[in-house]
Amino acid sequence: MNIKLLPATESDIKAIWQMQVEAFTELLEKYRDYETNPAAESVEKIRQRFEQPFTYYYFITVDSEKVGFLRVVDKKDGSRKRISPIGILPAYRNKGCAQAAIKAAEAIHGADHWSLDTIITEKANCYLYEKMGYRKTGETRRINEKLTLVFYEK
């Protein structure tokens, strides 16, 4: 598989939102987290982020087909870069897409000084990030009775 990042443009905002809803609805239904789950966000929220000078949206492509998206926050001021969120469409999960996309983002924005968070009970996500060199910071944040986030840095 030929996995690459394709920079998104302002005309892609609705497509990113649709992909975000598809990628995160399963977790929204499982954890009932309407405050922080990307599937619960509006198109306008993505538009606001897109206008931030430090936000970079990318489509994750496999052989030119869009299979997911990635947002990088890179203020280019020495602070940690952040992946928030990364979403892979259900049909393309567990095929190496997220790992390749993160490596590509690190190639673009620099391999060091990153942060991200994920759901502590989503073991596949935790395994992926740890395999890629991210380490738990020891910080967690309880969102509701079903969901706790765990924070990582590299």
Side-chain angles (χ1 to χ4, degrees):
M1 285 194 305
N2 187 14
I3 302 169
K4 293 184 178 176
L5 292 183
L6 175 68
T9 65
E10 194 167 349
S11 64
D12 295 318
I13 291 171
K14 188 170 183 186
I16 290 169
W17 174 75
Q18 290 169 328
M19 198 172 272
Q20 186 168 292
V21 169
E22 186 175 347
F24 287 94
T25 293
E26 183 181 322
L27 292 175
L28 181 62
E29 291 170 354
K30 182 176 180 179
Y31 295 105
R32 303 282 179 210
D33 168 32
Y34 296 97
E35 288 78 44
T36 64
N37 185 295
E41 291 180 349
S42 67
V43 174
E44 188 54 37
K45 182 76 170 177
I46 293 171
R47 184 175 313 284
Q48 289 170 0
R49 285 195 189 117
F50 200 93
E51 292 172 356
Q52 295 170 332
F54 48 82
T55 283
Y56 303 84
Y57 273 105
Y58 300 94
F59 286 108
I60 301 165
T61 64
V62 174
D63 301 325
S64 300
E65 183 176 350
K66 294 173 182 170
V67 303
F69 70 95
L70 169 71
R71 175 179 172 242
V72 172
V73 175
D74 183 357
K75 295 184 178 179
K76 300 185 185 296
D77 64 358
S79 62
R80 286 196 181 275
K81 298 170 285 273
R82 182 166 172 73
I83 296 172
S84 178
I86 180 171
I88 307 293
L89 297 177
Y92 293 93
R93 291 183 186 149
N94 302 310
K95 299 181 187 309
C97 297
Q99 184 173 342
I102 292 169
K103 284 181 182 176
E106 290 174 349
I108 294 166
H109 294 275
D112 297 322
H113 215 54
W114 286 87
S115 68
L116 55 82
D117 59 75
T118 194
I119 300 168
I120 199 166
T121 52
E122 292 297 317
K123 299 302 179 196
N125 290 356
C126 295
Y127 175 76
L128 165 68
Y129 300 134
E130 290 170 15
K131 178 171 73 168
M132 298 195 67
Y134 287 79
R135 298 289 168 246
K136 290 178 183 171
T137 66
E139 180 187 355
T140 60
R141 187 169 88 220
R142 186 170 189 243
I143 303 299
N144 63 33
E145 67 280 350
K146 296 180 178 186
L147 189 149
T148 299
L149 295 176
V150 60
F151 292 82
Y152 285 89
E153 289 182 349
K154 181 177 186 179

